[in-house]
Amino acid sequence: MSLDEAFSFHEILIIPSVRESLHLNPVFYETWVIPGAVLVGVFAFKYLKFLLHLPHKTRYLFLIAAIVYVGGGLGMEMVGGVLRIDFGRRTIISLTGIIVEESLEMVGIVIFIYALLAYLSSLRESIQLKIYVSEK
């Protein structure tokens, strides 16, 4: 996720000529959602065993985090494609869709961080975290 945010790999997969030649539905306006959905499926299958062996609370929080994150990133991107086709690229409705998408991604990450910290706190009575900031 962080590599994609830093280098925008999914932006490379937005190929207007593919969309036009295949006459794709507006839901697939951003063509990267097709391989993105496949990768999400592969990832989910690959980590299903890991997920099933987590404690109940952690498993539940991981699932909620994944649904919110992927729902924002992939689902709202698909909705955003329809909004761009129907209302235009720089309208308040399309921009609101983008804000909802980015907000859901951030909320998904916050839920995931909370799940990780809750799991760590179940393993130990206390956790000490030291952060050092230097100007080197």
Side-chain angles (χ1 to χ4, degrees):
M1 293 184 302
S2 62
L3 286 175
D4 181 57
E5 290 297 328
F7 298 109
S8 300
F9 291 129
H10 76 274
E11 307 292 343
I12 296 167
L13 298 173
I14 299 173
I15 308 167
S17 60
V18 170
R19 177 181 353 129
E20 293 163 5
S21 64
L22 295 177
H23 305 290
L24 292 175
N25 188 299
V27 170
F28 302 112
Y29 180 82
E30 304 290 354
T31 53
W32 74 266
V33 298
I34 298 168
V38 171
L39 288 174
V40 166
V42 169
F43 182 84
F45 179 74
K46 179 100 171 127
Y47 284 94
L48 182 62
K49 186 176 179 182
F50 168 77
L51 187 69
L52 292 175
H53 284 85
L54 289 173
H56 178 73
K57 179 182 176 183
T58 306
R59 180 181 335 130
Y60 176 75
L61 288 170
F62 274 28
L63 282 173
I64 296 296
I67 290 167
V68 171
Y69 185 85
V70 173
L74 202 59
M76 280 306 297
E77 190 81 42
M78 295 168 87
V79 170
V82 173
L83 295 177
R84 283 188 199 104
I85 296 285
D86 291 347
F87 299 101
R89 187 168 183 86
R90 298 281 183 212
T91 63
I92 191 71
I93 294 173
S94 294
L95 294 174
T96 301
I98 292 169
I99 291 168
V100 170
E101 173 193 339
E102 297 299 331
S103 297
L104 286 171
E105 288 176 359
M106 287 186 270
V107 169
I109 290 171
V110 168
I111 294 169
F112 183 65
I113 292 169
Y114 171 76
L116 291 172
L117 291 174
Y119 177 70
L120 284 174
S121 70
S122 73
L123 298 177
R124 294 195 162 267
E125 192 171 306
S126 67
I127 299 172
Q128 294 181 358
L129 178 65
K130 294 181 182 180
I131 300 174
Y132 297 99
V133 179
S134 66
E135 296 183 18
K136 288 186 179 181

